[in-house]
Amino acid sequence: MVLAKRPAATEGTLRSWLLQGLQTDRRQIEHGPHVKHPWWRVMCLTGVDYFSTLGYQPGIAALAAGFLSPLATLFLVALTLLGALPVYRRVAAESPYGQGSIAMLEKLAPQWWGKFFVLALLGFAATDFVITMTLSAADATAHILENPFVPDFLAGRRVIVTLVLLAGLGGVFLMGFSEAIGIAVLLVLVYLGLNAVVVATAVVRVVQAPQVVVDWQRALSLDFSSPLTMIGLSLLVMPKLALGLSGFETGVAVMPVVKGEVGQRVKGTKRMLTVAALIMSVFLIFSSFVTTVLIPHEEFEEGGRAGGRALAYLAHGYLGDWFGTVYDVSTITILWFAGASAMAGLINLVPRYLPRYGMAPEWTGAVRPLVLVFSVIAFAITIIFDADVDAQGGAYATGVLVLMLSAAVAVTLSARKKRQHRATAGFAVITAVLVYTLVDNVIERPDGVKIASFFIAAIVVTSLISRATRSTELRVTEVRLDPLAEQYVNDACGDLHLIANEPHQRDQDEYHDKLRETWLNHRLRSSEPVLFVEVSVPDASEFETELHVKGEERYGHRILTIESSAVPNSLAALLLHLRDRTGSVPHIYFHWTEGNPVVAMLRYLVFGGGDVPPLTREVLRQAEPDLERRPHVHVG
């Protein structure tokens, strides 16, 4: 067995601390931690993101839709229960290890196109999760600064306060985050309980003062000519409320944490998604109604006391400043911790894809370096947007909607492939609705596309640079020989001479001419037994690979055939494996490649071939520093 090179930490150094817990086991990354939890506890982990949107969703809805906020929210709830929920229940069934819709779509696009497609989706996912951190922290800041007990010196310092909250969030992850679910359960239960009290109190006030409903209805009749007009305008503004759809992608991503075997995990995740959607839908409907009829519209405007904190406004107004402060503390805590859920999503996504593509250093499998990187990005976005909740809403909604649209497309294609015609039609309708919602949101608020484009460009550029710099790593995780290949190696009795052959016609003349060329160029004795080795590249976009070496005999010549993503790396791995197996240093023979070396290097990076002899030697040089144990590369 030959393992691809992994970064080694030096004990007692900063590097050792940063790389602590480095995930080098692909199975660990794919299957999640050993400790699993019941679905309802995991729901609370995703709920700190999903449920925390109650902190700002009613205010944003009122600002976007005005008196139509309850109706627009009703359409959003319909999209949640009839669109997002069925889509993600299907995604959960088809990606039980938490790969999500990105992995489902990855299979549809082959080779490099698939990789770049995934990078683009990761750009939108990064937009979603990073803006979740910055927007939630900014809204937590709004709740802090609007509280009457907060010292005056903090007035007007929302950027600084938001940066402090983000720094605290990063600090939690740097110290370790093993108790996240326990904290999330406590926060969600307290927060939902307080919201239930506030909403119930507001509903009682509406019942006691029915005039507010009459005034709302009168305002609707004055502003809009007919119910159809109200419905049409509500549908038009509904995309601005898309923040209330947050949390579904995170819910699928944390599936490996759900207790049980694969079947139980899928059932638990479906139950988790359904219960969370139902709870959130009830709160959204009632909160949008009571905030619209009870709060003067000017309070939702810039500088108003209900901006980004509509339910907190009601808590202070109807239940007093002490209860309001308790509500503020709960809201601030869950909004701050919503960033933790987003950070967990990022830490889950990056090790699943970029290191596997060779498009990120291996240290990205460790938590702490990623925390530092994403914390710096969150700081920059907070400063750029001046910690403004409303300004970040468009970018957040864009990231959420793109991920939901990708999930809808994935399940539509999956249902079509399985010839499930009714499901295909249903998911196609959901996809069309999400396309409209996304396009409308992008036209109205293009900031999301701009930020996502920046993330996509940054991911693509850094990924390509990383791929190029890591190209001469060994890149082989395991070498396996079939029985015939095993026999060929055993018959050589440790005296291994391999002739590298680029397969073309694979006829008798090809092997005869190659053998004769090797005898002439390298003075190889005809009495010495030789093995031909041939590597074909079906998909050069893959990075790490397992080598399955097959033995074959053609025209009296013994041949080892391999399929791999890169020829030089595979040959180097095979030579090292044969050395360790036989105890003798093997020899491999090449002829010089004609052509421009720069073009050859590009061919190597893109197609896995190129100038094979020097690249094979370079891979061997990096993998085996001991010159006496390094396999011999002969070129003539």
Side-chain angles (χ1 to χ4, degrees), residues 497 499 515 518-520 522-526 528 530 589:
H497 297 269
I499 300 175
L515 184 59
T518 304
W519 285 341
L520 292 175
H522 302 287
R523 300 295 188 265
L524 192 65
R525 295 189 299 273
S526 59
E528 292 179 317
V530 296
Y589 301 89

Side-chain angles (χ1 to χ4, degrees), residues 36 90 163 202 209 267 392 403 471 595:
K36 312 291 184 181
R90 176 103 181 200
L163 292 177
K267 289 181 181 178
Q392 297 177 73
L403 290 179
S471 61

Side-chain angles (χ1 to χ4, degrees), residues 214-288:
V214 175
D215 293 340
W216 172 61
Q217 292 174 332
R218 183 182 299 114
L220 287 176
S221 62
L222 291 174
D223 291 347
F224 307 102
S225 58
S226 69
L228 287 178
T229 303
M230 297 179 196
I231 292 174
L233 290 174
S234 297
L235 287 172
L236 287 175
V237 300
M238 186 264 290
K240 298 179 182 179
L241 281 59
L243 284 75
L245 294 170
S246 170
F248 283 96
E249 192 73 28
T250 309
V252 174
V254 298
M255 280 187 70
V257 185
V258 178
K259 182 181 291 186
E261 299 299 326
V262 173
Q264 295 173 310
R265 182 186 308 157
V266 170
K267 289 181 181 178
T269 303
K270 287 182 176 181
R271 193 176 296 118
M272 172 182 73
L273 294 172
T274 303
V275 172
L278 290 172
I279 291 173
M280 190 64 175
S281 296
V282 171
F283 273 109
L284 284 175
I285 291 172
F286 281 100
S287 64
S288 67

Side-chain angles (χ1 to χ4, degrees), residues 274-340:
T274 303
V275 172
L278 290 172
I279 291 173
M280 190 64 175
S281 296
V282 171
F283 273 109
L284 284 175
I285 291 172
F286 281 100
S287 64
S288 67
F289 176 70
V290 297
T291 53
T292 301
V293 301
L294 292 176
I295 300 176
H297 187 70
E298 58 270 16
E299 294 291 355
F300 294 110
E301 302 287 347
E302 179 72 25
R305 290 179 296 164
R309 55 187 303 276
L311 290 176
Y313 177 94
L314 295 179
H316 282 273
Y318 294 138
L319 295 166
D321 284 339
W322 284 107
F323 182 90
T325 299
V326 173
Y327 181 84
D328 283 341
V329 171
S330 175
T331 305
I332 291 164
T333 308
I334 198 169
L335 284 168
W336 173 69
F337 213 69

Side-chain angles (χ1 to χ4, degrees), residues 88-118:
Y88 276 95
R89 283 172 62 91
R90 176 103 181 200
V91 171
E94 300 200 14
S95 60
Y97 300 107
Q99 308 98 317
S101 59
I102 295 178
M104 293 174 66
L105 290 172
E106 179 188 15
K107 301 173 184 176
L108 301 175
Q111 302 190 4
W112 284 109
W113 291 111
K115 302 298 185 294
F116 285 113
F117 183 63
V118 169

